[in-house]
């Protein structure tokens, strides 16, 4: 079946450093979403990318969707302690369907 | 308004018992999804509904698992004859419409089978 892998599994940074997580799907995706899950919390939607090569920014967060629509990345500039959590990408493998396949997640820890 | 709610928040049951997990989506949300999340892993799709129609149940692990949403609002995920391997966080999410929309997750039900 379809797999969505994320690297790294875990990253520990000092506050102010940048952070990037990469998401790779075994199959082409019609769109990709990103979610953040704080420790003990539930996934919270961050953004959705639909077009090949799309780039979106939210303040310090930059999201990219690959040209082949099989990979994506999330980059955080100048991390803050509030960025702590696990970041999941989630892909919709078939246009018109709603099943989301979540990635394996990247856990981010930020030290002050 | 209120978010997605789930009940119970915690459920401890003995192996072999049946359990019913409830999800109350955001009012007016057409689509409702069930996921299972193991510790340290991403949510694993189980099934979803548009209104009262179950559209995809390909993620249900076996026939002990079933779900319903009879009136297109509240949904129940039922696990019959529970086994220890069923222990996990069960999450419900809802979205305003059909794909592709952001999903709003509930707090989850932590199920422990002893």
């Amino acid at each position: 079946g379809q797999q969505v892998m994320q690297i790294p599994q875990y990253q520990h940074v000092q506050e102010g450093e940048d952070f990037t997580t990469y998401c790779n799907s075994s199959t082409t995706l019609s769109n990709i979403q990103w979610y953040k899950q704080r420790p003990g919390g539930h996934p919270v939607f961050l953004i959705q990318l639909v077009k090949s090569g799309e780039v979106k920014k939210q303040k310090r967060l930059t999201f990219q969707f690959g040209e082949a629509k099989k990979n994506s990345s999330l980059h955080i500039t100048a991390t803050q302690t509030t960025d702590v959590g696990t970041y999941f990408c989630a892909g919709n493998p078939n246009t018109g369907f709603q099943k989301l396949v979540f990635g394996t997640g990247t856990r981010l820890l930020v030290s002050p | 308004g209120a978010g997605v709610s789930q009940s119970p928040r915690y459920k401890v049951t003995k192996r072999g018992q049946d359990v019913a997990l409830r999800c109350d989506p955001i009012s007016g949300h057409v689509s409702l999804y069930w996921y299972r999340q193991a510790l340290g892993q991403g949510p694993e799709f189980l099934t979803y509904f548009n209104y009262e129609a179950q559209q995809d149940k390909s993620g249900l692990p076996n026939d002990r698992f079933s779900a319903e949403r009879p009136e297109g609002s509240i949904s129940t995920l039922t696990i019959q004859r529970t086994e220890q391997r069923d222990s996990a966080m069960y999450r419900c999410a809802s979205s305003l419409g059909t794909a592709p929309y952001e999903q709003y997750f509930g707090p989850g039900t932590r199920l422990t089978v002893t």
Side-chain angles (χ1 to χ4, degrees), chain A residues 31 33 35 37 40-45 48 50 88 92 96-105, chain B residues 31 33 35 37 40-43 45 48 50 56 58 91 97-103 105-107:
Chain A
N31 64 81
Q33 299 180 4
Y35 290 79
Q37 185 170 10
H42 56 272
V44 175
F45 176 84
Q48 176 171 270
V50 179
F88 293 102
N92 184 308
F97 291 90
Q98 296 166 242
K99 177 179 177 178
L100 273 183
V101 178
F102 275 77
T104 47
Chain B
S31 302
Y33 307 80
Y35 295 88
Q37 187 173 21
Q41 297 183 22
F45 171 84
Y48 84 91
N50 284 341
D56 184 338
S58 63
R91 296 197 185 275
T98 56
Y101 278 95
E102 65 182 275
Q103 295 186 16
F105 280 79

Side-chain angles (χ1 to χ4, degrees), chain A residues 1 4 11 14 37 40 42 63 66 68-69 83 85 109 111-112:
Chain A
V4 180
Q11 189 151 12
Q14 292 293 121
Q37 185 170 10
H42 56 272
F63 304 83
K69 301 186 78 173
D83 295 326
L109 184 61
S111 294

Side-chain angles (χ1 to χ4, degrees), chain A residues 10-106:
Chain A
Y10 170 82
Q11 189 151 12
H12 185 179
V13 300
Q14 292 293 121
E15 193 171 25
E17 293 181 336
D18 292 356
F19 160 77
T20 304
T21 172
Y22 299 91
C23 172
N24 295 286
S25 170
S26 58
T27 61
T28 302
L29 303 170
S30 62
N31 64 81
I32 196 158
Q33 299 180 4
W34 283 89
Y35 290 79
K36 176 184 178 182
Q37 185 170 10
R38 288 201 162 98
H42 56 272
V44 175
F45 176 84
L46 294 176
I47 208 159
Q48 176 171 270
L49 305 168
V50 179
K51 298 177 185 176
S52 169
E54 189 170 14
V55 178
K56 286 189 176 180
K57 293 190 176 185
Q58 284 181 352
K59 298 183 180 178
R60 296 178 294 105
L61 278 60
T62 301
F63 304 83
Q64 290 188 325
F65 199 8
E67 293 290 340
K69 301 186 78 173
K70 293 180 71 173
N71 56 69
S72 181
S73 65
L74 158 59
H75 179 82
I76 303 179
T77 304
T79 55
Q80 300 175 358
T81 54
T82 53
D83 295 326
V84 164
T86 301
Y87 292 85
F88 293 102
C89 62
N92 184 308
N94 298 293
T95 301
F97 291 90
Q98 296 166 242
K99 177 179 177 178
L100 273 183
V101 178
F102 275 77
T104 47
T106 296

